[in-house]
Amino acid sequence: AQTVTQSQPEMSVQEAETVTLSCTYDTSESDYYLFWYKQPPSRQMILVIRQEAYKQQNATENRFSVNFQKAAKSFSLKISDSQLGDAAMYFCAYSGYGGSQGNLIFGKGTKLSVKP
Amino acid sequence: ETGVTQTPRHLVMGMTNKKSLKCEQHLGHNAMYWYKQSAKKPLELMFVYSLEERVENNSVPSRFSPECPNSSHLFLHLHTLQPEDSALYLCASSRGTSGNYEQFFGPGTRLTVL
């Protein structure tokens, strides 16, 4: 069965600095998707960034980028120029293709604090 | 943030009560999901509905009973719950159940079972 591990329960970053959140996963599949979701306090969870496993190029969305290491089964999230609004729980998630393989499997999350 | 709505936002119930959680999506999606979010645990998928048919039931106790009357609405009926069922219950929707579809989440219902 697939698993997702986030080894950092909490992280802290100074405003305007860069922070990297770690995620590792386990799967025997060769094709799958990886996601980072953000859950701000008392607000809805939203998708931050997505990576298709067959793509070698790392996904980027504005200040958010990933370091996808398929062989190492590692999928870290880098937040550049951190802002106060980045403070949230960040969840790494995995899904396979179709059917029950398409269901999201989440890590336990990393709570990110941003210091002014 | 109004694509997926959930009511009520907070619910306190006794172990003998019967209550229902409601989810509505305004995105024209075909798949809907119920998740349980407990402190210090990963989100747990409870149920998946695709085109109003239940396609996934992750060994959830029978005291949780889902209902999907149409593709826009999803309910979770609760009865004789236990204190360990206290958690944040999240609803989500997506265009389909294939893994590449983004899931859109509601704000959740914070459930407390006394």
Side-chain angles (χ1 to χ4, degrees):
Chain A
Q2 293 84 2
T3 58
V4 176
T5 302
Q6 294 179 250
S7 59
Q8 306 153 315
E10 296 188 27
M11 291 282 286
S12 180
V13 63
Q14 203 72 33
E15 195 175 8
E17 297 294 310
T18 295
V19 64
T20 298
L21 308 184
S22 301
C23 174
T24 58
Y25 59 94
D26 190 26
T27 182
S28 58
E29 303 296 322
S30 59
D31 291 324
Y32 47 86
Y33 302 93
L34 296 164
F35 307 83
W36 279 98
Y37 277 86
K38 170 186 177 181
Q39 187 179 36
S42 301
R43 294 183 64 188
Q44 284 161 259
M45 187 157 359
I46 58 172
L47 179 66
V48 175
I49 200 165
R50 177 175 69 185
Q51 175 81 42
E52 290 91 344
Y54 65 86
K55 290 186 178 179
Q56 293 185 338
Q57 186 173 5
N58 289 325
T60 299
E61 289 287 342
N62 300 314
R63 298 182 295 107
F64 298 87
S65 62
V66 299
N67 183 3
F68 173 49
Q69 301 290 325
K70 191 172 185 179
K73 296 180 181 175
S74 171
F75 183 61
S76 60
L77 175 70
K78 185 172 82 171
I79 306 174
S80 304
D81 185 25
S82 296
Q83 301 176 359
L84 295 178
D86 295 333
M89 284 291 293
Y90 286 83
F91 294 94
C92 179
Y94 164 102
S95 76
Y97 281 46
S100 62
Q101 296 300 315
N103 295 334
L104 283 172
I105 299 169
F106 286 87
K108 291 185 178 182
T110 296
K111 182 178 181 181
L112 178 66
S113 301
V114 181
K115 298 179 179 178
Chain B
E1 295 188 354
T2 57
V4 181
T5 58
Q6 291 186 243
T7 54
R9 295 292 305 273
H10 300 271
L11 178 62
V12 179
M13 58 187 291
M15 289 169 33
T16 58
N17 291 156
K18 289 185 179 181
K19 296 287 184 182
S20 296
L21 310 185
K22 178 183 177 181
C23 175
E24 184 173 0
Q25 59 97 359
H26 311 273
L27 302 169
H29 288 166
N30 292 320
M32 296 188 77
Y33 310 79
W34 279 117
Y35 289 90
K36 177 183 179 182
Q37 186 176 22
S38 305
K40 306 207 186 295
K41 293 178 67 176
L43 270 75
E44 301 171 57
L45 178 65
M46 301 175 72
F47 302 103
V48 180
Y49 276 82
S50 176
L51 296 170
E52 302 151 40
E53 288 192 24
R54 190 189 311 179
V55 295
E56 191 83 21
N57 179 346
N58 273 356
S59 302
V60 179
S62 59
R63 57 186 183 268
F64 295 90
S65 176
E67 178 189 2
C68 188
N70 54 62
S71 59
S72 298
H73 294 86
L74 184 65
F75 295 89
L76 188 62
H77 304 298
L78 316 172
H79 64 97
T80 59
L81 294 191
Q82 305 298 311
E84 60 264 29
D85 297 323
S86 298
L88 182 67
Y89 288 84
L90 295 173
C91 174
S93 71
S94 62
R95 287 179 58 192
T97 55
S98 176
N100 64 316
Y101 290 121
E102 177 184 353
Q103 291 189 20
F104 292 78
F105 286 81
T109 294
R110 175 69 63 185
L111 174 66
T112 302
V113 181
L114 301 176

